[in-house]
Amino acid sequence: MYNIKFESYVPEPDPATPDRIVAAHYYAAWKYGAAEVHEGFCDLAKDFPDRTPLMGYYDEELPEVADWEIKWAVEHGINCFIYCWYRKAYNMGKPISVGDLRCGHGLHEALFNAKHQKYMKFAIMFEASERWGGTDEVDMLQNLMPFWTENYFKRGNYLLIDNKPVVFVYNQQRLANECFKSAESQRATFDACREYARKEGFDGMIFAVMDTSLDVEKYRDALARGYDFRFGYNSGYKAPCDFYEDEDDIVRSQCAIFKKHLEIDPERFIPTPSCFCDPTPRFSQRWNDLGYAFREWMNIWYLSPDNFRKLLREMKRITDALPENAWGRRIMMIDNWNEWDEGHFVAPSHKFGFKYLQAIREELTARDNLPDYRTLADQGFDGYNRSWPTPDFKELCEQRLKEKK
Protein backbone atom coordinates (compact mmCIF):
# COMPACT_ATOMS: atom_id res chain seq x y z
CA MET A 1 0.00 0.00 0.00
CA TYR A 2 1.71 3.20 -1.16
CA ASN A 3 1.20 6.96 -1.16
CA ILE A 4 -1.43 6.77 1.55
CA LYS A 5 -0.91 9.26 4.35
CA PHE A 6 -1.76 7.58 7.62
CA GLU A 7 0.19 10.18 9.63
CA SER A 8 -0.16 13.95 9.48
CA TYR A 9 3.46 14.49 10.54
CA VAL A 10 6.76 12.64 10.86
CA PRO A 11 5.92 9.42 12.77
CA GLU A 12 7.24 9.01 16.30
CA PRO A 13 10.76 7.52 16.33
CA ASP A 14 11.35 4.01 17.64
CA PRO A 15 14.96 4.34 18.86
CA ALA A 16 17.45 1.49 18.94
CA THR A 17 19.56 1.19 22.10
CA PRO A 18 23.30 1.69 21.61
CA ASP A 19 25.78 0.77 24.34
CA ARG A 20 27.56 4.14 24.15
CA ILE A 21 27.28 7.63 22.73
CA VAL A 22 27.22 7.25 18.95
CA ALA A 23 27.77 10.78 17.65
CA ALA A 24 27.59 11.68 13.97
CA HIS A 25 29.25 14.84 12.69
CA TYR A 26 26.62 17.14 11.17
CA TYR A 27 27.39 19.80 8.57
CA ALA A 28 24.43 22.20 8.38
CA ALA A 29 25.01 23.79 4.97
CA TRP A 30 21.89 22.72 3.06
CA LYS A 31 19.77 25.83 3.38
CA TYR A 32 19.76 27.54 0.00
CA GLY A 33 22.61 30.08 -0.11
CA ALA A 34 23.81 29.37 3.44
CA ALA A 35 27.07 27.56 2.69
CA GLU A 36 28.83 30.64 1.23
CA VAL A 37 32.07 28.78 0.43
CA HIS A 38 30.42 26.25 -1.89
CA GLU A 39 27.13 25.81 -3.73
CA GLY A 40 25.42 23.14 -1.64
CA PHE A 41 23.18 20.88 -3.71
CA CYS A 42 24.13 22.85 -6.84
CA ASP A 43 27.50 21.08 -6.64
CA LEU A 44 25.68 17.77 -7.17
CA ALA A 45 23.03 18.70 -9.70
CA LYS A 46 24.95 18.23 -12.94
CA ASP A 47 27.20 15.19 -12.50
CA PHE A 48 26.35 13.55 -9.17
CA PRO A 49 22.64 12.65 -9.07
CA ASP A 50 23.48 9.43 -7.20
CA ARG A 51 24.30 11.57 -4.16
CA THR A 52 20.77 12.92 -3.98
CA PRO A 53 19.39 12.55 -0.44
CA LEU A 54 16.57 10.04 -0.18
CA MET A 55 14.21 12.91 0.68
CA GLY A 56 15.45 14.82 -2.36
CA TYR A 57 17.10 18.23 -2.20
CA TYR A 58 15.71 19.81 0.93
CA ASP A 59 15.50 23.02 2.89
CA GLU A 60 17.48 22.14 5.98
CA GLU A 61 16.01 24.96 8.05
CA LEU A 62 12.61 23.22 8.16
CA PRO A 63 11.87 21.54 11.54
CA GLU A 64 10.12 18.71 9.69
CA VAL A 65 13.38 17.91 7.88
CA ALA A 66 15.13 17.74 11.25
CA ASP A 67 12.44 15.39 12.53
CA TRP A 68 12.94 12.96 9.66
CA GLU A 69 16.70 13.03 10.27
CA ILE A 70 16.20 12.45 13.99
CA LYS A 71 13.90 9.53 13.30
CA TRP A 72 16.27 7.90 10.82
CA ALA A 73 19.30 8.46 13.04
CA VAL A 74 17.97 7.25 16.39
CA GLU A 75 16.28 4.22 14.84
CA HIS A 76 19.79 3.12 13.83
CA GLY A 77 21.67 3.94 17.02
CA ILE A 78 22.97 7.46 16.34
CA ASN A 79 21.98 9.33 19.48
CA CYS A 80 23.94 12.58 19.08
CA PHE A 81 24.58 15.07 16.27
CA ILE A 82 27.73 17.19 16.52
CA TYR A 83 26.95 20.42 14.68
CA CYS A 84 29.75 22.37 13.05
CA TRP A 85 29.47 25.77 14.76
CA TYR A 86 30.76 28.89 13.01
CA ARG A 87 30.82 32.52 14.01
CA LYS A 88 31.51 34.99 11.24
CA ALA A 89 34.92 36.61 11.31
CA TYR A 90 33.62 40.13 12.00
CA ASN A 91 32.05 38.88 15.24
CA MET A 92 35.37 38.03 16.89
CA GLY A 93 35.57 39.81 20.25
CA LYS A 94 31.92 40.92 20.21
CA PRO A 95 28.69 39.70 21.80
CA ILE A 96 27.07 36.99 19.68
CA SER A 97 23.60 36.79 18.21
CA VAL A 98 22.12 34.07 16.00
CA GLY A 99 22.56 36.42 13.05
CA ASP A 100 26.32 36.36 13.59
CA LEU A 101 26.52 32.62 12.86
CA ARG A 102 27.23 30.81 9.63
CA CYS A 103 24.81 27.92 9.08
CA GLY A 104 23.17 28.50 12.44
CA HIS A 105 19.82 27.48 10.94
CA GLY A 106 20.57 23.80 11.56
CA LEU A 107 20.24 24.39 15.28
CA HIS A 108 18.21 27.54 15.75
CA GLU A 109 15.62 27.08 13.00
CA ALA A 110 15.44 23.33 12.54
CA LEU A 111 16.49 21.28 15.57
CA PHE A 112 15.22 23.67 18.24
CA ASN A 113 11.75 23.66 16.64
CA ALA A 114 11.63 19.94 15.87
CA LYS A 115 8.86 17.93 17.49
CA HIS A 116 11.11 14.91 18.11
CA GLN A 117 14.20 16.77 19.35
CA LYS A 118 13.96 15.10 22.77
CA TYR A 119 15.22 11.88 21.18
CA MET A 120 18.48 13.39 19.92
CA LYS A 121 21.38 14.78 21.92
CA PHE A 122 23.43 17.48 20.25
CA ALA A 123 26.78 19.16 20.76
CA ILE A 124 28.73 21.87 18.97
CA MET A 125 32.11 21.71 17.26
CA PHE A 126 33.66 25.16 17.43
CA GLU A 127 35.14 25.86 13.98
CA ALA A 128 38.15 28.13 14.40
CA SER A 129 39.67 27.89 10.92
CA GLU A 130 41.09 31.00 9.28
CA ARG A 131 37.97 32.15 7.45
CA TRP A 132 35.85 32.13 10.62
CA GLY A 133 36.10 34.03 13.85
CA GLY A 134 38.52 32.68 16.43
CA THR A 135 38.63 33.63 20.10
CA ASP A 136 41.01 34.65 22.86
CA GLU A 137 41.26 34.71 26.64
CA VAL A 138 38.75 37.56 27.04
CA ASP A 139 36.36 36.76 24.20
CA MET A 140 35.88 33.15 25.26
CA LEU A 141 34.62 34.10 28.70
CA GLN A 142 32.76 37.28 27.82
CA ASN A 143 31.12 36.22 24.55
CA LEU A 144 31.37 32.52 23.70
CA MET A 145 30.56 31.04 27.09
CA PRO A 146 27.47 33.22 27.78
CA PHE A 147 26.04 32.47 24.32
CA TRP A 148 26.81 28.75 24.45
CA THR A 149 25.49 28.37 27.98
CA GLU A 150 22.17 30.11 27.43
CA ASN A 151 21.49 28.81 23.92
CA TYR A 152 22.90 25.29 24.11
CA PHE A 153 24.19 23.92 27.41
CA LYS A 154 20.98 24.62 29.32
CA ARG A 155 18.78 22.88 26.79
CA GLY A 156 17.62 19.49 27.96
CA ASN A 157 19.18 17.59 25.08
CA TYR A 158 22.68 19.08 24.99
CA LEU A 159 25.40 16.45 25.36
CA LEU A 160 26.48 16.31 28.99
CA ILE A 161 28.88 13.73 30.35
CA ASP A 162 29.01 13.56 34.14
CA ASN A 163 26.93 16.78 34.10
CA LYS A 164 29.62 18.54 32.06
CA PRO A 165 28.83 20.11 28.65
CA VAL A 166 31.08 18.73 25.92
CA VAL A 167 32.54 21.18 23.38
CA PHE A 168 34.45 19.86 20.40
CA VAL A 169 37.08 22.10 18.79
CA TYR A 170 38.22 22.08 15.18
CA ASN A 171 41.57 23.49 14.06
CA GLN A 172 43.58 23.72 17.23
CA GLN A 173 46.49 24.98 15.13
CA ARG A 174 44.86 28.38 14.66
CA LEU A 175 43.97 28.63 18.35
CA ALA A 176 47.58 27.91 19.19
CA ASN A 177 49.16 30.19 16.58
CA GLU A 178 46.79 33.17 16.52
CA CYS A 179 44.34 33.15 19.42
CA PHE A 180 45.93 32.25 22.75
CA LYS A 181 49.21 33.69 23.99
CA SER A 182 50.58 30.33 25.13
CA ALA A 183 49.61 26.79 26.07
CA GLU A 184 49.38 27.90 29.68
CA SER A 185 47.08 30.76 28.71
CA GLN A 186 44.76 28.46 26.77
CA ARG A 187 44.61 25.98 29.62
CA ALA A 188 43.88 28.76 32.11
CA THR A 189 41.07 30.00 29.84
CA PHE A 190 39.57 26.52 29.54
CA ASP A 191 39.76 26.13 33.32
CA ALA A 192 38.00 29.48 33.69
CA CYS A 193 35.29 28.18 31.35
CA ARG A 194 34.92 25.12 33.57
CA GLU A 195 34.48 27.39 36.58
CA TYR A 196 31.96 29.49 34.64
CA ALA A 197 29.98 26.30 33.93
CA ARG A 198 30.05 25.32 37.61
CA LYS A 199 28.51 28.66 38.54
CA GLU A 200 25.75 27.90 36.01
CA GLY A 201 24.89 24.60 37.69
CA PHE A 202 27.15 22.16 35.86
CA ASP A 203 30.08 20.16 37.24
CA GLY A 204 32.60 21.65 34.84
CA MET A 205 33.21 21.29 31.10
CA ILE A 206 34.82 18.84 28.73
CA PHE A 207 36.91 20.09 25.80
CA ALA A 208 37.86 17.77 22.95
CA VAL A 209 40.20 18.65 20.09
CA MET A 210 40.19 17.48 16.48
CA ASP A 211 43.78 16.28 16.24
CA THR A 212 44.77 13.20 14.26
CA SER A 213 48.53 13.79 14.37
CA LEU A 214 50.64 10.87 15.54
CA ASP A 215 53.32 13.29 16.69
CA VAL A 216 53.78 12.68 20.41
CA GLU A 217 54.80 16.28 21.02
CA LYS A 218 51.55 17.55 19.49
CA TYR A 219 49.64 15.15 21.69
CA ARG A 220 51.43 16.47 24.77
CA ASP A 221 50.73 20.02 23.64
CA ALA A 222 47.00 19.25 23.42
CA LEU A 223 47.01 18.01 27.00
CA ALA A 224 49.00 21.04 28.13
CA ARG A 225 46.35 23.27 26.57
CA GLY A 226 43.59 21.73 28.65
CA TYR A 227 41.87 19.30 26.30
CA ASP A 228 40.30 16.20 27.80
CA PHE A 229 40.54 13.97 24.73
CA ARG A 230 41.23 13.98 20.99
CA PHE A 231 39.17 12.90 17.99
CA GLY A 232 39.12 12.96 14.20
CA TYR A 233 36.57 14.38 11.79
CA ASN A 234 37.40 11.25 9.83
CA SER A 235 39.99 8.54 10.27
CA GLY A 236 42.74 11.03 9.60
CA TYR A 237 44.56 9.96 6.47
CA LYS A 238 44.72 11.28 2.93
CA ALA A 239 46.31 8.62 0.76
CA PRO A 240 44.67 8.08 -2.67
CA CYS A 241 42.57 4.98 -3.26
CA ASP A 242 45.20 3.19 -5.32
CA PHE A 243 47.36 3.09 -2.18
CA TYR A 244 45.06 0.35 -0.90
CA GLU A 245 44.89 -3.08 -2.41
CA ASP A 246 41.21 -3.55 -1.61
CA GLU A 247 38.49 -2.50 0.84
CA ASP A 248 39.71 -4.96 3.46
CA ASP A 249 43.00 -3.08 3.39
CA ILE A 250 41.12 0.18 4.07
CA VAL A 251 39.44 -1.44 7.09
CA ARG A 252 42.82 -2.64 8.34
CA SER A 253 44.38 0.79 7.74
CA GLN A 254 41.70 2.68 9.67
CA CYS A 255 42.02 0.26 12.58
CA ALA A 256 45.82 0.38 12.45
CA ILE A 257 45.81 4.19 12.65
CA PHE A 258 43.40 4.07 15.59
CA LYS A 259 45.68 1.60 17.37
CA LYS A 260 48.66 3.90 16.84
CA HIS A 261 46.78 6.66 18.63
CA LEU A 262 46.00 4.25 21.45
CA GLU A 263 49.69 3.38 21.73
CA ILE A 264 50.35 7.05 22.51
CA ASP A 265 47.55 7.10 25.07
CA PRO A 266 44.87 4.39 25.37
CA GLU A 267 42.52 6.66 27.31
CA ARG A 268 42.29 9.93 25.38
CA PHE A 269 41.55 9.18 21.73
CA ILE A 270 38.17 8.13 20.35
CA PRO A 271 37.48 6.37 17.04
CA THR A 272 35.77 7.92 14.01
CA PRO A 273 35.05 5.11 11.52
CA SER A 274 34.74 6.55 8.01
CA CYS A 275 32.52 5.09 5.30
CA PHE A 276 34.15 6.83 2.33
CA CYS A 277 35.56 10.19 1.30
CA ASP A 278 35.32 11.74 -2.14
CA PRO A 279 34.96 15.56 -2.25
CA THR A 280 35.16 15.75 -6.04
CA PRO A 281 31.79 17.56 -6.40
CA ARG A 282 32.83 20.38 -4.08
CA PHE A 283 36.35 21.00 -5.35
CA SER A 284 36.15 20.07 -9.04
CA GLN A 285 33.94 23.10 -9.67
CA ARG A 286 36.61 25.53 -8.50
CA TRP A 287 40.04 24.73 -9.94
CA ASN A 288 40.42 28.33 -11.11
CA ASP A 289 39.83 29.65 -7.61
CA LEU A 290 41.58 27.01 -5.54
CA GLY A 291 44.32 25.88 -7.86
CA TYR A 292 45.35 22.24 -7.84
CA ALA A 293 46.02 21.78 -4.15
CA PHE A 294 42.94 19.64 -3.71
CA ARG A 295 43.70 17.03 -6.35
CA GLU A 296 45.16 14.81 -3.64
CA TRP A 297 41.72 14.79 -2.00
CA MET A 298 39.81 13.30 -4.91
CA ASN A 299 38.27 9.89 -4.18
CA ILE A 300 40.39 9.28 -1.10
CA TRP A 301 38.80 6.04 0.07
CA TYR A 302 35.63 4.03 -0.22
CA LEU A 303 34.00 1.32 1.85
CA SER A 304 30.87 -0.48 0.76
CA PRO A 305 28.16 -0.75 3.43
CA ASP A 306 29.20 -4.37 4.08
CA ASN A 307 32.82 -3.40 4.65
CA PHE A 308 31.79 -0.39 6.73
CA ARG A 309 29.99 -2.94 8.90
CA LYS A 310 33.28 -4.85 9.28
CA LEU A 311 35.03 -1.63 10.28
CA LEU A 312 32.42 -0.82 12.93
CA ARG A 313 32.64 -4.34 14.33
CA GLU A 314 36.41 -4.16 14.62
CA MET A 315 36.40 -0.64 16.10
CA LYS A 316 33.91 -1.80 18.70
CA ARG A 317 36.05 -4.84 19.51
CA ILE A 318 39.11 -2.63 19.99
CA THR A 319 37.30 -0.09 22.17
CA ASP A 320 35.59 -2.74 24.30
CA ALA A 321 39.07 -3.90 25.35
CA LEU A 322 40.24 -0.44 26.42
CA PRO A 323 40.69 0.57 30.06
CA GLU A 324 37.40 1.21 31.82
CA ASN A 325 37.92 4.99 32.02
CA ALA A 326 38.97 5.36 28.36
CA TRP A 327 37.01 7.89 26.32
CA GLY A 328 36.91 5.40 23.46
CA ARG A 329 34.63 3.17 25.49
CA ARG A 330 32.15 6.00 26.00
CA ILE A 331 31.97 7.65 22.58
CA MET A 332 32.22 6.50 18.99
CA MET A 333 31.99 9.12 16.27
CA ILE A 334 30.50 8.52 12.84
CA ASP A 335 31.93 10.19 9.75
CA ASN A 336 29.57 11.75 8.67
CA TRP A 337 25.80 12.31 8.65
CA ASN A 338 25.42 14.68 5.69
CA GLU A 339 28.59 15.84 3.93
CA TRP A 340 26.85 15.38 0.59
CA ASP A 341 29.30 17.20 -1.69
CA GLU A 342 32.44 16.69 0.39
CA GLY A 343 31.65 13.03 -0.02
CA HIS A 344 31.15 11.23 3.28
CA PHE A 345 27.63 10.58 4.52
CA VAL A 346 25.57 7.85 6.15
CA ALA A 347 22.21 9.63 5.87
CA PRO A 348 19.74 7.88 3.53
CA SER A 349 20.59 8.53 -0.13
CA HIS A 350 19.46 7.36 -3.54
CA LYS A 351 22.78 5.58 -4.02
CA PHE A 352 22.95 3.66 -0.75
CA GLY A 353 19.46 3.83 0.74
CA PHE A 354 19.65 3.02 4.46
CA LYS A 355 22.53 0.55 4.13
CA TYR A 356 25.16 2.51 6.10
CA LEU A 357 22.63 3.18 8.85
CA GLN A 358 21.71 -0.50 8.93
CA ALA A 359 25.36 -1.35 9.48
CA ILE A 360 25.52 1.04 12.46
CA ARG A 361 22.34 -0.39 13.97
CA GLU A 362 23.45 -3.99 13.57
CA GLU A 363 26.93 -3.47 15.00
CA LEU A 364 26.46 -0.81 17.68
CA THR A 365 22.97 -1.35 19.13
CA ALA A 366 20.86 -4.00 20.83
CA ARG A 367 18.68 -4.13 17.67
CA ASP A 368 15.67 -3.82 19.94
CA ASN A 369 13.43 -1.81 17.63
CA LEU A 370 11.77 -1.94 14.23
CA PRO A 371 13.00 0.82 11.89
CA ASP A 372 10.66 2.22 9.27
CA TYR A 373 12.14 1.90 5.78
CA ARG A 374 9.27 3.37 3.78
CA THR A 375 10.19 6.34 1.64
CA LEU A 376 8.46 9.67 2.15
CA ALA A 377 6.42 9.05 -1.00
CA ASP A 378 5.37 5.64 0.32
CA GLN A 379 3.97 7.42 3.37
CA GLY A 380 2.20 10.13 1.42
CA PHE A 381 4.57 12.98 2.25
CA ASP A 382 5.65 15.58 -0.28
CA GLY A 383 9.22 16.74 -0.76
CA TYR A 384 10.83 19.44 1.36
CA ASN A 385 12.36 21.61 -1.34
CA ARG A 386 10.85 25.08 -1.33
CA SER A 387 13.87 27.16 -2.31
CA TRP A 388 16.34 25.13 -4.40
CA PRO A 389 15.60 26.15 -8.04
CA THR A 390 13.21 23.95 -10.03
CA PRO A 391 12.37 22.67 -12.56
CA ASP A 392 15.50 23.81 -14.44
CA PHE A 393 17.64 23.06 -11.42
CA LYS A 394 20.75 21.88 -13.25
CA GLU A 395 20.80 24.78 -15.69
CA LEU A 396 20.32 27.38 -12.97
CA CYS A 397 23.02 25.86 -10.81
CA GLU A 398 25.43 25.77 -13.72
CA GLN A 399 24.76 29.44 -14.37
CA ARG A 400 25.35 30.29 -10.71
CA LEU A 401 28.67 28.44 -10.74
CA LYS A 402 29.78 30.33 -13.86
CA GLU A 403 28.92 33.62 -12.21
CA LYS A 404 31.01 32.66 -9.16
CA LYS A 405 34.16 32.05 -11.20
Side-chain angles (χ1 to χ4, degrees):
M1 189 176 294
Y2 300 97
N3 301 310
I4 298 177
K5 197 168 186 177
F6 291 108
E7 305 273 357
S8 61
Y9 192 73
V10 182
E12 197 79 13
D14 179 18
T17 305
D19 66 349
R20 66 196 69 199
I21 298 164
V22 181
H25 289 292
Y26 190 106
Y27 178 53
W30 312 105
K31 176 180 179 179
Y32 185 69
E36 301 180 21
V37 296
H38 60 87
E39 299 305 319
F41 289 132
C42 286
D43 287 342
L44 308 179
K46 181 181 178 183
D47 298 319
F48 303 92
D50 57 332
R51 295 198 186 188
T52 302
L54 198 61
M55 73 167 71
Y57 297 148
Y58 55 85
D59 295 331
E60 189 177 43
E61 69 271 27
L62 299 176
E64 195 166 348
V65 167
D67 276 321
W68 281 114
E69 293 186 311
I70 291 167
K71 178 177 172 61
W72 290 332
V74 300
E75 289 188 345
H76 294 86
I78 296 173
N79 52 10
C80 181
F81 281 149
I82 303 173
Y83 285 79
C84 298
W85 190 89
Y86 309 83
R87 70 194 301 192
K88 296 183 179 179
Y90 68 77
N91 184 244
M92 167 65 182
K94 302 175 183 177
I96 304 167
S97 69
V98 174
D100 298 315
L101 306 182
R102 172 189 181 249
C103 296
H105 64 272
L107 287 170
H108 293 270
E109 296 180 49
L111 181 66
F112 293 169
N113 293 296
K115 178 182 177 181
H116 301 320
Q117 62 180 288
K118 65 182 180 181
Y119 291 98
M120 177 62 72
K121 297 291 185 183
F122 78 97
I124 58 170
M125 182 166 69
F126 175 36
E127 299 272 354
S129 55
E130 291 182 4
R131 61 167 62 98
W132 313 118
T135 190
D136 58 27
E137 294 86 348
V138 175
D139 174 75
M140 193 156 197
L141 289 167
Q142 290 188 357
N143 299 313
L144 288 179
M145 282 298 295
F147 185 86
W148 289 349
T149 302
E150 294 304 316
N151 287 275
Y152 307 139
F153 301 163
K154 290 184 177 181
R155 298 186 71 90
N157 59 335
Y158 193 83
L159 178 63
L160 306 180
I161 298 178
D162 301 329
N163 196 37
K164 300 174 183 178
V166 184
V167 170
F168 300 89
V169 177
Y170 189 88
N171 200 334
Q172 160 57 23
Q173 183 176 356
R174 185 184 182 208
L175 293 185
N177 295 341
E178 301 178 29
C179 299
F180 292 103
K181 297 173 183 176
S182 63
E184 293 77 15
S185 175
Q186 184 172 347
R187 185 181 189 92
T189 304
F190 280 8
D191 286 343
C193 290
R194 294 180 172 102
E195 185 58 32
Y196 184 107
R198 290 187 187 98
K199 291 178 180 178
E200 295 292 332
F202 302 102
D203 291 330
M205 282 187 65
I206 295 167
F207 288 97
V209 61
M210 201 296 294
D211 178 10
T212 56
S213 171
L214 291 169
D215 185 319
V216 175
E217 291 305 314
K218 288 186 178 180
Y219 162 75
R220 290 173 178 166
D221 181 67
L223 291 185
R225 291 178 178 275
Y227 290 105
D228 295 277
F229 63 89
R230 301 186 304 148
F231 68 94
Y233 194 62
N234 54 38
S235 286
Y237 57 100
K238 305 176 184 178
C241 269
D242 57 12
F243 176 83
Y244 304 101
E245 295 181 0
D246 51 36
E247 288 191 32
D248 284 338
D249 191 27
I250 297 174
V251 172
R252 287 190 294 269
S253 296
Q254 290 199 41
C255 291
I257 291 171
F258 179 46
K259 289 177 180 178
K260 288 179 180 179
H261 285 290
L262 297 178
E263 289 173 4
I264 297 174
D265 188 330
E267 297 180 5
R268 294 184 179 87
F269 193 85
I270 64 174
T272 307
S274 301
C275 51
F276 56 94
C277 189
D278 180 6
T280 304
R282 181 177 298 184
F283 296 136
S284 62
Q285 308 277 14
R286 291 170 190 74
W287 295 126
N288 290 338
D289 295 332
L290 299 177
Y292 294 90
F294 287 103
R295 284 198 184 279
E296 64 184 277
W297 287 86
M298 301 298 105
N299 196 22
I300 304 168
W301 71 85
Y302 170 83
L303 287 176
S304 68
D306 284 342
N307 282 306
F308 184 59
R309 186 190 318 273
K310 292 179 184 178
L311 174 62
L312 292 168
R313 185 180 306 150
E314 182 62 12
M315 288 286 195
K316 184 178 186 302
R317 186 193 68 78
I318 295 170
T319 56
D320 285 348
L322 290 174
E324 188 172 339
N325 59 342
W327 284 102
R329 292 189 64 167
R330 306 181 76 173
I331 306 176
M332 184 177 291
M333 289 183 166
I334 299 296
D335 169 34
N336 181 286
W337 178 257
N338 61 344
E339 284 274 20
W340 298 108
D341 65 347
E342 195 172 85
H344 39 132
F345 52 86
V346 298
S349 66
H350 278 271
K351 183 171 185 178
F352 299 111
F354 288 85
K355 291 180 180 178
Y356 285 110
L357 289 180
Q358 288 172 316
I360 294 168
R361 176 180 176 270
E362 291 173 13
E363 297 301 329
L364 301 181
T365 80
R367 291 176 278 182
D368 52 352
N369 68 330
L370 187 61
D372 188 345
Y373 292 117
R374 295 173 297 166
T375 66
L376 303 190
D378 290 342
Q379 300 175 67
F381 289 92
D382 295 324
Y384 295 97
N385 178 10
R386 301 175 188 174
S387 61
W388 293 94
T390 57
D392 300 321
F393 184 83
K394 293 182 180 180
E395 290 76 9
L396 288 171
C397 287
E398 286 177 338
Q399 181 59 38
R400 181 167 175 173
L401 288 170
K402 288 178 182 178
E403 293 171 354
K404 284 276 188 176
K405 291 182 178 180

